[in-house]
């Protein structure tokens, strides 16, 4: 399985944008980039996914580098409810998800 | 719409006891999964199912059994609980998807916190 690398932790101020990076230098052409987040004491929650083009949904935006070796999850305006562990995962079709340790995001009021 | 429901939410067992964790989904999803999460770690896949009557091993299947007798339910069994199985267990489900749109998000329950003494 291709692996991803994320910072262990990040902090951001409330109501400011947050850019969460993910490196995946060994990504293959058929790997999709998925992002999930896990709020305290809850199960993971799907955030967004993409293949080559940038993607937007109501929760976040996903910016994918042209060579696909890195991507960035963008939360446009962080709130306290966005404090969570964010997981960047490569996935092919309906293959199983392989979770790393993710990035713990702290929002400062 | 309840989504994915796990029961029980908490349980304490003694070493050697057996129990079954129940996962139920009301979204008519084909795929179902059982994960465990240990402190400070990501989720690890125990077993999964690609449809009613089918099961397959994941990354850490030893000490667990599963059954998918009904499409909406996926049961995880511990025949003889061990302290190493103390963990938080998460169930997830996802739809089959069609053609190139096979990358379907997984929907997770809120977990079962299991302690084995």
């Amino acid at each position: 399985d291709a692996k991803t690398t994320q910072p262990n932790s990040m902090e951001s101020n409330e109501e400011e944008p947050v850019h969460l990076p993910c490196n995946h230098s060994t990504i293959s052409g058929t790997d999709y980039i998925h992002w999930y987040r896990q709020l305290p004491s809850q199960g993971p929650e799907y955030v967004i996914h993409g293949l080559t083009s940038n993607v937007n949904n109501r929760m976040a935006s996903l910016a994918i580098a042209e060579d696909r070796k890195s991507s960035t999850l963008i939360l446009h305006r962080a709130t306290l409810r966005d404090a969570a562990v964010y997981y960047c995962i490569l996935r092919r079709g309906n293959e199983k998800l392989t979770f790393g340790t993710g990035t713990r995001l702290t929002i400062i009021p | 719409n309840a989504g994915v429901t796990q029961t029980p939410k908490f349980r304490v067992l003694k070493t050697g006891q057996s129990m079954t964790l129940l996962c139920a989904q009301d979204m008519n999803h084909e795929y179902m999964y059982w994960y465990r999460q240990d402190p400070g770690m990501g989720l690890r896949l125990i077993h999964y199912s690609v449809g009613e009557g089918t099961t397959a091993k994941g990354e850490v299947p030893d000490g667990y059994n599963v059954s998918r007798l009904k499409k909406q339910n996926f049961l995880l069994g511990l025949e003889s609980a061990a302290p190493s199985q103390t963990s938080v267990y998460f169930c997830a489900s996802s739809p089959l998807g069609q053609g190139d749109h096979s990358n379907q998000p997984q929907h997770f329950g809120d977990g079962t916190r299991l302690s084995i003494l």
Side-chain angles (χ1 to χ4, degrees):
Chain A
D1 291 341
K3 295 192 180 297
T4 63
T5 304
Q6 299 178 253
N8 289 332
S9 62
M10 290 183 62
E11 289 185 348
S12 181
N13 294 320
E14 192 178 10
E15 299 186 1
E16 291 187 356
V18 182
H19 291 235
L20 294 160
C22 181
N23 288 322
H24 29 78
S25 58
T26 59
I27 190 170
S28 73
T30 55
D31 286 335
Y32 280 75
I33 302 159
H34 286 247
W35 284 83
Y36 283 74
R37 71 179 185 180
Q38 188 173 18
L39 279 65
S41 300
Q42 294 188 24
E45 174 187 29
Y46 166 79
V47 177
I48 200 166
H49 77 278
L51 183 62
T52 56
S53 303
N54 294 344
V55 184
N56 300 296
N57 66 20
R58 63 175 179 82
M59 291 182 69
S61 295
L62 176 60
I64 302 172
E66 196 168 335
D67 64 5
R68 299 208 329 124
K69 294 185 176 182
S70 65
S71 61
T72 302
L73 179 71
I74 302 166
L75 307 179
H76 294 286
R77 193 164 171 267
T79 69
L80 296 177
R81 290 180 297 177
D82 291 320
V85 178
Y86 286 79
Y87 298 98
C88 170
I89 302 168
L90 300 183
R91 189 183 186 204
R92 201 169 299 168
N94 266 337
E95 282 186 355
K96 60 185 186 298
L97 293 173
T98 300
F99 287 80
T101 53
T103 297
R104 182 173 299 278
L105 176 65
T106 301
I107 305 298
I108 302 168
Chain B
N1 191 347
V4 177
T5 303
Q6 294 184 231
T7 53
K9 295 190 186 313
F10 305 93
R11 186 72 184 269
V12 178
L13 289 179
K14 295 182 179 178
T15 298
Q17 286 185 317
S18 64
M19 81 161 295
T20 300
L21 281 64
L22 172 63
C23 176
Q25 53 97 1
D26 61 3
M27 297 171 283
N28 201 35
H29 286 172
E30 290 292 334
Y31 292 84
M32 296 188 75
Y33 312 82
W34 275 107
Y35 295 86
R36 61 177 286 175
Q37 185 174 33
D38 299 315
M41 296 180 66
L43 280 71
R44 292 183 293 169
L45 183 66
I46 304 171
H47 286 279
Y48 64 101
S49 168
V50 299
E52 181 179 327
T54 71
T55 63
K57 293 181 180 180
E59 182 185 355
V60 289
D62 294 342
Y64 304 96
N65 57 75
V66 288
S67 64
R68 183 98 181 268
L69 299 179
K70 294 183 178 180
K71 186 177 183 179
Q72 64 268 33
N73 295 336
F74 196 28
L75 279 63
L76 178 71
L78 285 72
E79 290 186 349
S80 180
S84 61
Q85 295 177 304
T86 294
S87 190
V88 181
Y89 291 85
F90 290 100
C91 176
S93 70
S94 65
L96 180 59
Q98 298 176 1
D100 290 340
H101 302 290
S102 58
N103 262 269
Q104 297 296 320
Q106 291 186 13
H107 301 255
F108 286 81
D110 284 336
T112 294
R113 284 151 183 80
L114 183 61
S115 294
I116 300 164
L117 306 177

